[in-house]
Amino acid sequence: VQLVESGGGLVQAGGSLRLSCAASGSIFSINAMGWYRQAPGKQRELVATITSGGSTNYADSVKGRFTISRDNAKNTVYLQMNSLKPEDTAVYYCNADATPYGSSGLSYDYWGQGTQVTVSS
């Protein structure tokens, strides 16, 4: 299972970006998907998650500004980021809890390579 992110970049404070993450490979099912971020010198932190049924969870720091969604038919998760702040600057990583074919029903954690988001003040 491979995860490929896209949509990062440089934006001014107050601006918006939309991240996408497409999962591919020998996928039987995908359970939760989510976005995490890691700023320089800091630990990776949860941004938002979404279950296969559409239930969402957000970090307090992004509630009301970010929206996570997914297209199950495309095995893709999105993160719409509005009202961006300089403190949102980080590498954003896509995560999926997925069950590949041939795993006897076991699920595994998969990560994308990360996409840089930089918010200038």
Side-chain angles (χ1 to χ4, degrees):
V1 177
Q2 298 82 39
L3 303 179
V4 178
E5 301 115 333
S6 60
L10 173 65
V11 64
Q12 288 189 332
S16 298
L17 283 174
R18 188 189 194 214
L19 305 183
S20 299
C21 171
S24 62
S26 184
I27 302 169
F28 175 74
S29 65
I30 300 179
N31 306 311
M33 300 186 80
W35 291 94
Y36 292 72
R37 66 187 182 187
Q38 187 167 18
K42 294 188 177 182
Q43 289 189 329
R44 190 173 298 188
E45 63 177 4
L46 180 146
V47 176
T49 61
I50 184 168
T51 67
S52 57
S55 297
T56 58
N57 179 52
Y58 294 93
D60 287 343
S61 59
V62 307
K63 282 181 181 176
R65 299 188 298 122
F66 291 10
T67 302
I68 190 170
S69 61
R70 66 189 279 178
D71 185 333
N72 290 331
K74 296 182 179 179
N75 289 335
T76 300
V77 63
Y78 306 96
L79 185 68
Q80 178 66 44
M81 305 185 292
N82 298 329
S83 302
L84 282 160
K85 304 175 181 179
E87 51 262 46
D88 294 318
T89 295
V91 177
Y92 283 70
Y93 295 92
C94 176
N95 171 265
D97 175 36
T99 302
Y101 282 105
S103 69
S104 301
L106 295 176
S107 64
Y108 301 90
D109 240 10
Y110 295 92
W111 292 91
Q113 79 287 353
T115 186
Q116 177 70 46
V117 171
T118 302
V119 185
S120 62
S121 57

